Amino acid sequence: AARGCGGVWRWAWQRGARGPSPSPRGQRAAASSARGGAVLVGKSGLAPWVPVVGLEIHAQISSNSKLFSGSQVQFAAPPNSLVSFFDASLPGTLPVLNRRCVEAAVMTGLALNCSINKKSLFDRKHYFYADLPAGYQITQQRVPIAVNGSLSYSLCIDNKMSQMVTKTVRIKQIQLEQDSGKSLHDDTRSQTLVDLNRAGVGLMEVVMEPDMCCGEEAAAAVRELQLILQTLGSSQAVMAEGQLRVDANVSVHRPGKPYGVRTEVKNINSIRFLAKAVDYEIQRQIEELENGGTILNETRAFDSKLGCTVPMRDKEGKQDYRFMPEPNLPPLILYDAKSLPANMNHQQVVNIDWIHERLPDLPSVKRAKLVEQYGILPEHSFALLNEDGLTEFFENVVKQTQMKPKKVIGWILNVLLSYLKQHSLTVKESPISSLMMADLLNLLEKKEISSTAAKQVLAELWKGEEKTPLEIVKEKKLELIQDQKELEQICQAVIDGQENE
């Protein structure tokens, strides 16, 4: 048994657990348990529960212009200042597909081990909302650009970085679609204002299969996806700016039984909130069922202040989006090296193989290289990559210091990083440069100062007074005394002082 994500339920990892499977869904649930899925024992202590979590993630594509128009993409621009006639859905306007968005989706699909469809289709998804001017969203419902991928992610057991386990979640599909606008609700004046700057911005929707079982797993998977997107440059994936938004589908069922009714927690904009929302929803559903209630197929929102999910709207009645083929966009045709016609203009097509050859090292590869090159622990490589710019900072320090990387990593993670977190600063905002850090560690390595003195120097460097570590050492008289005669004189002076007393 292991401690549960929320600390309320007892988690037991079972292998080979099988029960009656009255339906294909029940068989899948039993197979999930057999693979080592988590089962929960509720407060009643009766039969256990199996939680199931699937994610739908909307990542905003890093592009200068929108998916189907030439409007600029810019965060926090004045309301309605980046809206073309097409974005506002004026009659007679037509979509023009953004090549950059297609390439970003292909790149992301390849990085997530997906099959890239050489022919994908666009569809209209109809629904009414004030910030959706056309009354429909252009998406890829029938044949998306990428399918059948996987994402491996790691998480620690019982919050111990030294005990990590790697898991894999299947990627059902990645589809290109346009974002909606933004509604701003003014309760004081009882009115809603609409900003269409975001309308038409290119999105990649990454649909994950329900292979996860708790908030910690969901958070770890999204964090790994975020790192991959940022490494590729296909999305900046800054959740605080709405560039990565997560919908979590959560249900619980008895082992070996069909999946339970699922709820969807919408628009979660923080990895920490994602973990809390999923764990709360699992907990809520188990309590509801054990008290004789039923789970509604509904959409919920996570209230971060209260730490709970709240109902938004029910989904009991099947919503008819009236999907239809997008008449103004032809099928999206992609090529590889074999299928590319000899007389084709390379500037007018997207070559899958060309993109594949230029994929950068993904986070998993970077971690392995860090461990192999510097001899650091695997958990240290995760810590380096999880902070933007910290890997580069570490490598720059290693290049400029005589200290071994294994000792450097301790100073970076245990001392510098704690300063950064304490002051809510990023690595790029650090008042201590990699050169200053290297100079300080060189003094320590040469035994010119003690580790206690080094921490004092670091505290002075943090003040940003543009003094070098050596200048601070001399000013504060922190040097270690190497001369034996000088040490003897000091000791003798102390002894003499004691005798006088």
Side-chain angles (χ1 to χ4, degrees):
R3 185 167 53 81
C5 291
V8 177
W9 307 100
R10 188 166 75 253
W11 291 72
W13 297 89
Q14 296 187 343
R15 294 197 176 275
R18 287 191 179 272
S21 359
S23 70
R25 293 182 76 188
Q27 292 171 1
R28 288 198 299 273
S32 174
S33 295
R35 286 199 303 268
V39 293
L40 295 175
V41 179
K43 290 179 179 176
S44 66
L46 301 175
W49 295 94
V50 179
V52 178
V53 181
L55 302 177
E56 297 170 11
I57 301 156
H58 291 88
Q60 181 180 314
I61 299 170
S62 285
S63 172
N64 293 328
S65 55
K66 297 182 180 181
L67 184 58
F68 298 117
S69 80
S71 296
Q72 187 182 354
V73 176
Q74 181 186 333
F75 178 69
N80 296 307
S81 62
L82 304 174
V83 187
S84 70
F85 292 150
F86 177 79
D87 303 330
S89 193
L90 270 70
T93 56
L94 294 172
V96 178
L97 183 57
N98 184 333
R99 176 195 176 103
R100 159 63 189 162
C101 294
V102 175
E103 290 176 336
V106 171
M107 191 186 306
T108 304
L110 292 171
L112 295 176
N113 308 300
C114 292
S115 297
I116 307 298
N117 284 324
K118 291 182 182 177
K119 178 181 179 181
S120 59
L121 306 174
F122 287 98
D123 306 278
R124 289 185 179 182
K125 176 183 179 181
H126 293 81
Y127 62 95
F128 173 77
Y129 211 73
D131 55 25
L132 191 72
Y136 60 84
Q137 176 195 42
I138 301 179
T139 181
Q140 292 188 307
Q141 170 68 11
R142 293 169 296 160
V143 186
I145 195 166
V147 294
N148 301 331
S150 63
L151 170 67
S152 293
Y153 60 95
S154 297
L155 65 160
C156 45
I157 300 171
D158 283 340
N159 293 323
K160 295 178 182 175
M161 285 296 290
S162 58
Q163 298 180 29
M164 302 195 77
V165 60
T166 299
K167 297 200 165 193
T168 301
V169 58
R170 293 169 295 158
I171 306 292
K172 180 182 179 182
Q173 65 189 56
I174 300 174
Q175 60 197 53
L176 280 168
E177 60 186 33
Q178 58 181 169
D179 207 347
S180 60
K182 188 175 182 181
S183 295
L184 306 168
H185 304 291
D186 186 343
D187 294 331
T188 306
R189 300 178 182 177
S190 299
Q191 65 182 7
T192 295
L193 305 174
V194 176
D195 179 9
L196 294 181
N197 279 349
R198 204 174 67 185
V201 168
L203 298 178
M204 292 177 286
E205 181 176 356
V206 181
V207 181
M208 295 182 176
E209 297 283 8
D211 294 340
M212 291 160 283
C213 65
C214 69
E216 187 181 4
E217 286 193 12
V222 170
R223 177 56 180 147
E224 187 68 10
L225 176 63
Q226 185 182 41
L227 285 173
I228 289 172
L229 293 172
Q230 290 170 345
T231 300
L232 297 173
S234 56
S235 173
Q236 294 177 21
V238 179
M239 299 190 81
E241 296 183 5
Q243 295 168 353
L244 196 70
R245 308 192 294 273
V246 184
D247 300 337
N249 294 294
V250 181
S251 70
V252 298
H253 63 277
R254 299 291 189 187
K257 298 290 184 180
Y259 284 1
V261 175
R262 67 184 172 94
T263 60
E264 184 179 24
V265 187
K266 295 283 286 184
N267 289 329
I268 306 169
N269 61 358
S270 154
I271 290 177
R272 186 164 56 91
F273 292 162
L274 170 63
K276 289 184 176 182
V278 169
D279 287 338
Y280 176 86
E281 188 57 21
I282 291 170
Q283 189 173 315
R284 184 193 70 82
Q285 290 187 21
I286 291 175
E287 283 184 358
E288 185 73 30
L289 292 170
E290 291 197 339
N291 289 331
T294 58
I295 303 301
L296 299 177
N297 179 213
E298 63 183 352
T299 298
R300 300 177 72 87
F302 179 66
D303 188 321
S304 58
K305 292 180 181 177
L306 298 176
C308 64
T309 62
V310 293
M312 290 174 65
R313 57 184 181 272
D314 76 84
K315 299 170 75 174
E316 289 297 327
K318 183 173 176 8
Q319 189 160 4
D320 183 10
Y321 288 116
R322 294 179 293 118
F323 281 103
M324 61 170 277
E326 169 54 56
N328 293 325
L329 285 166
L332 173 57
I333 306 298
L334 306 178
Y335 298 89
D336 56 19
K338 292 182 180 178
S339 62
L340 188 64
N343 59 347
M344 183 70 73
N345 184 341
H346 291 261
Q347 299 299 318
Q348 295 181 338
V349 298
V350 173
N351 186 330
I352 300 169
D353 289 338
W354 187 88
I355 294 173
H356 192 273
E357 289 168 4
R358 285 157 180 78
L359 283 179
D361 284 344
L362 297 179
S364 57
V365 176
K366 286 183 178 180
R367 294 189 196 103
K369 286 185 175 180
L370 286 169
V371 171
E372 182 181 353
Q373 184 175 352
Y374 299 109
I376 61 176
L377 297 174
E379 54 264 32
H380 291 161
S381 69
F382 276 89
L384 285 177
L385 259 69
N386 277 342
E387 298 294 329
D388 185 29
L390 195 60
T391 302
E392 293 79 5
F393 189 97
F394 165 73
E395 291 186 316
N396 287 336
V397 172
V398 169
K399 287 174 187 174
Q400 301 171 88
T401 185
Q402 299 165 10
M403 184 177 281
K404 290 184 179 179
K406 285 184 178 180
K407 291 174 69 176
V408 172
I409 194 72
W411 280 90
I412 298 289
L413 298 183
N414 299 331
V415 185
L416 179 70
L417 194 56
S418 65
Y419 269 102
L420 292 172
K421 290 187 180 297
Q422 186 180 340
H423 294 86
S424 300
L425 295 177
T426 65
V427 177
K428 293 174 183 176
E429 294 169 334
S430 172
I432 300 175
S433 67
S434 58
L435 178 59
M436 285 184 183
M437 193 74 186
D439 286 347
L440 174 61
L441 296 183
N442 278 332
L443 292 174
L444 182 60
E445 188 66 13
K446 293 174 185 176
K447 295 186 169 48
E448 293 183 20
I449 57 173
S450 65
S451 59
T452 304
K455 290 177 183 177
Q456 287 180 254
V457 174
L458 198 69
E460 290 296 318
L461 287 172
W462 189 263
K463 296 177 182 177
E465 295 177 356
E466 297 185 359
K467 295 178 183 177
T468 67
L470 185 57
E471 287 171 347
I472 294 171
V473 167
K474 289 181 177 179
E475 183 183 304
K476 300 287 183 181
K477 297 181 179 178
L478 297 172
E479 305 99 324
L480 283 173
I481 300 172
Q482 306 288 350
D483 190 324
Q484 186 174 342
K485 288 184 179 180
E486 189 178 349
L487 285 170
E488 288 175 355
Q489 289 172 0
I490 292 171
C491 292
Q492 190 61 51
V494 172
I495 293 169
D496 293 342
Q498 292 293 324
E499 288 177 353
N500 293 333
E501 291 179 11

